[in-house]
Amino acid sequence: MSTYNMQRLLNPRSVALVGGSLRKGSVGAAVLRNIRGAGFVGDIGVVNPKHREIEGVTTYAGLPTLPFLPDLIVVTAPASAIPNIIEEAGRLGVPGAVVISSGLGHGNESFANRAEKAAREHRMRLIGPNCLGIISPRSNLNASFTAHTPKPGRLALISQSGAIVAGMVEWAAQKSVGFSGIISIGDQLDVDIADALDFFALDRETEAILLYVEAIKNARKFMSAARAAARLKPVIVVKSGRMSQGAKAAATHTGALAGSDAVYDAAFRRAGMLRLLDLRELFACAEILSRYPASLDKRLALLTNGGGLAVLAVDRLAELGGAPAELSADVRRSLDGVLPASWSKSNPVDIGGDADPARYREALEVLLRDSGSGAVLVMNVPTAIASSAEIAKEVARVVSANREANRPVKPVLAVWVGADDATLKSLDEAAIPNFPTEDDAVRSFSYLRNYAVAKRALSDVPPSVPDQFVPAIDTARAVVRAAISDNRQWLDPLEVKQLLDAYHIPMVTTIAARTPDEAARSSRPFLQKGHPVAVKVHSRDIVHKSDVGGVALNLIDADGVRDAARKMLERAQTARPEARIEGFIIQPMIVRPKARELIMGFSEDSTFGPVIVFGRGGTAVEILDDKALALPPLDTNLARDLVGRTKVSRLLGAYRDVPAVKMDEILLTLVKLAQLAADLPEIKAIDINPLLADETGVIAVDARIAIGPPTARFGGPGNARFAIRPYPSQWERRVEPKQHETLLIRPLRPEDEPALLDMLKHVTKNDLRTRFFSTIREFTHEFVARLTQLDYARSMAFAACDESHNILGVARFHSDSVYESAEYAILVRSDLKGKGIGWALMQTLIEYARSEGLRSLHGQVLRENSTMLEMCRELGFEQTADPSDPILASVTLKLG
């Protein structure tokens, strides 16, 4: 996590403005006015050699002449001066800077590049340039040029657009919504979206994070930060540029289907983030998540004085996956006791157009006590009979009274049609989210559940891939490398068949023939069994065979095959005289009348690397555009979610006389494709279309595979083209401890949760205390999931397993913010201590850390844990007293 110095940057004790100005309307003047006006209590300095004072604040000629060393400098100086300002601040030891100025340029000799180098040399953090600034309401800091300063609250905002920040601040002022922090990220010279996510994910004052994205620079870093943050709190994102289409000239169907915005959508989904379409939705989501916790409960009670409005709300609720709450007999009796006989007797609870404040109060109190609903939506349509403003005040009093009495208050939402600001003020002051329409309100209610579902998905335990899936990786690599050495961009059909066979992906039998006569002979075995055949021109230079008349289908005799091949050869030579034609491909026609035609494959996105595509296949695949995308690696849970997001998924079950497809085979094939992408970085795209699926399984009828030199998109160790670093299977190894039988030591996997939980049952309370430094009373799913669901780009855990796949011990580390040092921990079953298991685990962990380029491993050990301290000494760790706690020892191993 890249959060070093972020605390001092965003919550400084002292601030210096470099470039403050007297000129009215200037950025420097506005920023100084905001810093002073927000009530910042620390030291404030202004650096400007042209003036002796600005707005009553003494100015200084340079940073060295300030009477204090600032935690933060805010720079509004001209672009040309900024590299020297950053260099000087870094030498002095200033932890961070916000560079609001624009025009620093790009390239090796730009002002931006020089400033970045200076900051990196001194480990100084930079926000910007070209940004609106930062706001930390709880520190009374407004180092920006917004029109207002928001009040403290529980929402964090990270934005690539300064205009979005300004708009959110104005909205918050109207809605009495507060912020824990606001960062206008600008050009992300140093601090980027991922850094800000990491900071606010661990910030105790932040309950939800709002994110406005235009483009992601480092997808792997972003995905690591986003997944970590979303496990802890809601992360809501708006991405601009939804309608820009990527891959318009793609060579494969999967490439054409994987538009750039669709890939972003898949990434946000994989990270557990809530994606919204516009600022209106962002405001609504921010409002409800700033008031109430997420919940899986989809039942909504509706209280209204207008039946038509409620019907519209119920319709929208159903469309979004919610449901109107069922009113129990007891609840109906309670409502009968306080409402006139004309009320609706069901949910929506329509209390009549003449409903006054008292009627709203009585009905609302009953619904708040009802355990059969997850939230209450209160709606009001203005009438000449009762005051909407007074009704709003009464609803606010009911909710506030319940809150003040410490009674559980379920989410209450409000829609006051056509209400003025004075009316809505009562609801805002009572922290009741209110919306202009029933659609906004119901959609906002759905956000509570959507986030809860996304968070649960992040901690789901995936099923294991069947042990029998062991791909022939060496065979596959040989096929691909031979083709690359021939300077080709596509595998030929025979190579495609070999590659899919290596990964156990069924494909129709494929035979090569050099001449029309040989094609006729090769087809006879299929024809004699009553199978028509397909003939295709075999040319490594002709990718789209049908474009040159290079495909003939449903041939039923050898003479027909011969004749079709001759004509095909003539057409291909005429259309593509330069193409090398090796002959023909013969395949039996697959007749599965009740099979569904699917497409699956992957292509490379310029930002996120490989992306898996699944959807409805066939010749009209791009016209139908029924597809879903996911980032690899995949497990069967993720594959099931991918399939479920398509319309064709509705056809995969049984209907009429059509049996259900073998769903497990579809899911496993997607997992295999994702593994293939991880194992063979030379493969740029795979297009399997159609893939036929029915009750017998799946079979690929046609496939194309594009190849090329590997792309190390994200650099560093591991699979460098995956935005999510895949399981490092190359680190599986067998070892033989001196006092134990052969062990399999391998990286921990998410599906290891049950085995790890079983291991923990074999650890004594005292050993648990020495590992976790506290007494653990219960191992919840959430607790164990955090131990098994690793982000291999940031951490590692190795498990020692016996032949029965029982976990006997685990060693792990989690890296620091810049992936230079890591804190380790180890735990071995209490009944197996002293058998060399811990030693073998630590040796593997150390070897892995060195291979990753880490500089050191460190940890804290209870001084009473003599066994661990002795092992550390033998492994070369240095031991020192822990300055924070006398009962602990600090151990450190330098890795070179």
Side-chain angles (χ1 to χ4, degrees):
M1 293 180 289
S2 42
T3 57
Y4 72 94
N5 271 347
M6 290 283 286
Q7 182 64 36
R8 294 178 70 184
L9 180 63
L10 295 172
N11 293 296
R13 293 165 297 182
S14 54
V15 177
L17 174 61
V18 183
S21 175
L22 284 170
R23 183 166 51 87
K24 187 176 181 180
S26 67
V27 172
V31 172
L32 178 58
R33 188 163 54 250
N34 277 346
I35 292 175
R36 299 183 68 198
F40 183 70
V41 296
D43 291 323
I44 300 174
V46 178
V47 175
N48 189 321
K50 297 180 180 179
H51 304 284
R52 299 182 63 180
E53 70 171 39
I54 296 176
E55 292 193 4
V57 179
T58 302
T59 63
Y60 296 86
L63 286 171
T65 62
L66 284 170
F68 61 91
L69 179 66
D71 280 343
L72 170 69
I73 62 170
V74 183
V75 184
T76 60
S80 59
I82 289 173
N84 290 335
I85 292 171
I86 299 302
E87 170 63 34
E88 185 176 58
R91 282 201 315 268
L92 292 171
V94 174
V98 174
V99 181
I100 293 177
S101 311
S102 59
L104 272 70
H106 303 281
N108 290 335
E109 300 304 319
S110 67
F111 299 135
N113 183 263
R114 289 166 52 198
E116 180 189 14
K117 286 182 178 178
R120 189 166 56 246
E121 179 182 350
H122 298 290
R123 294 179 66 85
M124 181 180 177
R125 304 311 305 269
L126 297 183
I127 291 177
N130 189 27
C131 71
L132 191 77
I134 65 171
I135 306 175
S136 180
R138 68 175 181 266
S139 296
N140 295 321
L141 174 68
N142 184 352
S144 78
F145 55 97
T146 57
H148 295 91
T149 297
K151 70 178 188 178
R154 312 293 280 180
L155 291 175
L157 172 62
I158 307 163
S159 175
Q160 285 184 270
S161 165
I164 299 300
V165 170
M168 288 294 292
V169 168
E170 293 307 298
W171 166 83
Q174 296 173 13
K175 286 288 186 177
S176 298
V177 171
F179 290 93
S180 57
I182 298 175
I183 301 178
S184 171
I185 213 76
D187 291 343
Q188 304 179 79
L189 204 60
D190 169 34
V191 174
D192 59 14
I193 292 173
D195 298 331
L197 280 170
D198 279 333
F199 176 81
F200 287 123
L202 299 178
D203 179 34
R204 294 181 179 179
E205 300 299 321
T206 298
E207 289 185 350
I209 302 171
L210 311 180
L211 184 60
Y212 175 81
V213 173
E214 293 173 352
I216 298 299
K217 294 174 64 175
N218 186 324
R220 176 174 285 184
K221 183 181 178 185
F222 170 78
M223 291 301 293
S224 289
R227 293 167 72 205
R231 280 191 168 96
L232 299 173
K233 55 195 66 171
V235 181
I236 303 101
V237 59
V238 170
K239 163 74 172 64
S240 62
R242 288 188 298 113
M243 302 313 295
S244 60
Q245 296 299 313
K248 288 182 179 178
T252 63
H253 292 300
T254 51
L257 292 174
S260 60
D261 187 69
V263 179
Y264 269 97
D265 203 59
F268 296 150
R269 185 181 186 91
R270 181 64 178 274
M273 307 167 82
L274 293 182
R275 184 181 185 179
L276 307 179
L277 299 182
D278 52 38
L279 289 185
R280 179 178 177 178
E281 289 192 358
L282 183 64
F283 292 157
C285 190
E287 179 157 19
I288 195 163
L289 287 173
S290 69
R291 313 293 196 195
Y292 301 116
S295 169
L296 289 169
D297 200 327
K298 63 180 181 180
R299 303 166 302 168
L300 180 65
L302 300 96
L303 174 61
T304 181
N305 69 339
L309 187 66
V311 171
L312 290 174
V314 170
D315 287 345
R316 194 71 181 111
L317 184 65
E319 291 174 356
L320 295 173
E326 293 288 337
L327 299 183
S328 67
D330 287 343
V331 171
R332 286 198 300 271
R333 278 194 295 270
S334 296
L335 290 171
D336 281 337
V338 296
L339 296 177
S342 59
W343 79 278
S344 61
K345 309 294 183 183
S346 63
N347 186 28
V349 179
D350 184 353
I351 58 177
D354 61 342
D356 60 7
R359 196 181 299 175
Y360 266 92
R361 180 188 67 245
E362 299 287 353
L364 179 57
E365 288 179 341
V366 172
L367 294 177
L368 287 176
R369 293 193 299 268
D370 178 21
S371 61
S373 65
V376 180
L377 172 58
V378 185
M379 295 181 284
N380 178 264
V381 179
T383 70
I385 300 173
S387 166
S388 291
E390 291 303 315
I391 293 171
K393 290 179 181 178
E394 192 63 25
V395 167
R397 275 195 289 268
V398 171
V399 174
S400 298
N402 276 268
R403 193 177 290 127
E404 291 166 4
N406 291 321
R407 289 193 291 270
V409 179
K410 66 180 67 176
V412 177
L413 299 80
V415 173
W416 250 244
V417 177
D420 57 23
D421 291 343
T423 298
L424 297 179
K425 184 178 180 182
S426 300
L427 301 172
D428 289 333
E429 290 177 346
I432 299 174
N434 54 88
F435 308 93
T437 70
E438 83 292 338
D439 180 85
D440 293 310
V442 172
R443 187 184 296 275
S444 296
F445 170 67
S446 73
Y447 297 147
L448 295 175
R449 183 169 182 270
N450 290 347
Y451 170 63
V453 170
K455 184 177 180 181
R456 185 176 64 177
L458 284 173
S459 61
D460 278 349
V461 179
S464 297
V465 176
D467 292 336
Q468 62 265 30
F469 171 49
V470 180
I473 299 176
D474 291 340
T475 299
R477 284 177 178 154
V479 170
V480 173
R481 288 171 182 171
I484 288 178
S485 67
D486 195 29
N487 294 318
R488 286 190 279 126
Q489 294 181 319
W490 297 89
L491 297 186
D492 70 28
L494 296 178
E495 292 166 331
V496 169
K497 170 68 172 168
Q498 284 181 280
L499 190 67
L500 296 187
D501 284 349
Y503 277 79
H504 308 177
I505 298 174
M507 185 176 182
V508 62
T509 303
T510 302
I511 298 174
R514 296 181 182 179
T515 66
D517 288 337
E518 188 177 338
R521 288 195 301 272
S522 299
S523 66
R524 284 195 179 101
F526 305 116
L527 297 172
Q528 289 169 356
K529 294 179 181 178
H531 296 304
V533 298
V535 177
K536 304 173 184 178
V537 68
H538 183 196
S539 172
R540 292 171 173 175
D541 298 323
I542 302 175
V543 177
H544 300 281
K545 301 172 182 60
S546 58
D547 292 349
V548 298
V551 179
L553 305 177
N554 291 310
L555 302 174
I556 60 174
D557 57 52
D559 290 338
V561 170
R562 185 182 297 106
D563 185 55
R566 285 174 180 164
K567 294 177 179 178
M568 184 181 300
L569 181 60
E570 292 174 2
R571 289 193 298 268
Q573 288 175 335
T574 300
R576 296 285 302 277
E578 81 288 357
R580 298 167 295 176
I581 299 176
E582 288 84 23
F584 308 94
I585 294 295
I586 313 299
Q587 295 173 321
M589 295 294 296
I590 302 298
V591 181
R592 294 189 178 183
K594 297 179 180 179
R596 288 65 147 182
E597 285 192 335
L598 307 174
I599 183 173
M600 65 172 62
F602 69 80
S603 64
E604 284 210 11
D605 177 71
S606 59
T607 299
F608 290 93
V611 56
I612 304 291
V613 177
F614 172 85
R616 187 166 188 167
T619 56
V621 57
E622 291 172 38
I623 297 174
L624 294 172
D625 194 25
D626 175 23
K627 54 76 168 60
L629 278 63
L631 298 188
L634 297 182
D635 56 44
T636 50
N637 276 350
L638 292 168
R640 192 181 305 278
D641 174 74
L642 174 62
V643 172
R645 287 186 275 125
T646 61
K647 295 177 183 176
V648 75
S649 64
R650 304 170 194 170
L651 299 176
L652 302 181
Y655 59 93
R656 293 191 177 181
D657 63 337
V658 180
V661 305
K662 208 168 183 178
M663 180 63 76
D664 288 348
E665 289 297 316
I666 295 176
L667 304 182
L668 185 56
T669 303
L670 285 166
V671 174
K672 291 174 180 177
L673 272 178
Q675 186 61 49
L676 189 155
D679 294 339
L680 302 171
E682 299 89 351
I683 294 184
K684 300 300 181 183
I686 289 184
D687 193 73
I688 301 177
N689 180 38
L691 178 82
L692 298 183
D694 60 14
E695 74 278 8
T696 66
V698 300
I699 187 167
V701 175
D702 195 14
R704 284 179 288 176
I705 299 179
I707 57 174
T711 302
R713 188 176 307 279
F714 302 113
N719 194 309
R721 68 171 183 161
F722 272 44
I724 300 173
R725 191 169 174 181
Y727 175 78
S729 57
Q730 68 272 23
W731 280 89
E732 294 182 351
R733 58 190 57 192
R734 295 195 176 275
V735 300
E736 296 183 0
K738 293 181 179 180
Q739 300 181 47
H740 197 276
E741 67 239 24
T742 301
L743 295 174
L744 171 64
I745 292 184
R746 60 167 176 78
L748 205 62
R749 297 188 292 245
E751 59 264 36
D752 286 326
E753 182 178 329
L756 182 62
L757 186 59
D758 182 70
M759 177 204 130
L760 292 171
K761 294 176 181 177
H762 291 82
V763 181
T764 65
K765 291 182 179 180
N766 186 59
D767 283 350
L768 289 173
R769 182 180 61 83
T770 60
R771 161 62 179 88
F772 295 106
F773 296 171
S774 63
T775 301
I776 307 294
R777 299 183 182 276
E778 179 185 5
F779 292 105
T780 63
H781 162 63
E782 290 76 15
F783 179 85
V784 182
R786 285 198 296 270
L787 298 177
T788 57
Q789 298 188 15
L790 302 176
D791 179 355
Y792 299 115
R794 296 184 168 196
S795 56
M796 175 53 74
F798 285 104
C801 306
D802 62 17
E803 295 299 324
S804 299
H805 305 291
N806 297 308
I807 294 180
L808 312 182
V810 176
R812 67 177 64 241
F813 74 66
H814 192 83
S815 74
D816 63 2
S817 61
V818 289
Y819 208 68
E820 292 180 353
S821 178
E823 183 175 5
Y824 87 94
I826 183 170
L827 184 64
V828 176
R829 272 177 45 167
S830 299
D831 57 334
L832 296 175
K833 291 168 65 175
K835 297 183 179 293
I837 297 172
W839 181 271
L841 282 168
M842 283 300 298
Q843 284 184 313
T844 305
L845 193 70
I846 291 168
E847 182 184 351
Y848 178 82
R850 281 201 172 100
S851 75
E852 292 286 291
L854 290 174
R855 297 180 182 179
S856 66
L857 281 177
H858 62 90
Q860 292 178 312
V861 183
L862 286 171
R863 289 187 175 276
E864 65 186 75
N865 193 351
S866 57
T867 302
M868 176 60 68
L869 291 174
E870 179 59 29
M871 183 176 72
C872 287
R873 277 191 289 270
E874 293 179 10
L875 286 168
F877 282 78
E878 297 179 1
Q879 178 180 331
T880 58
D882 191 306
S884 64
D885 195 330
I887 69 171
L888 297 175
S890 294
V891 294
T892 302
L893 177 66
K894 301 294 184 182
L895 299 174

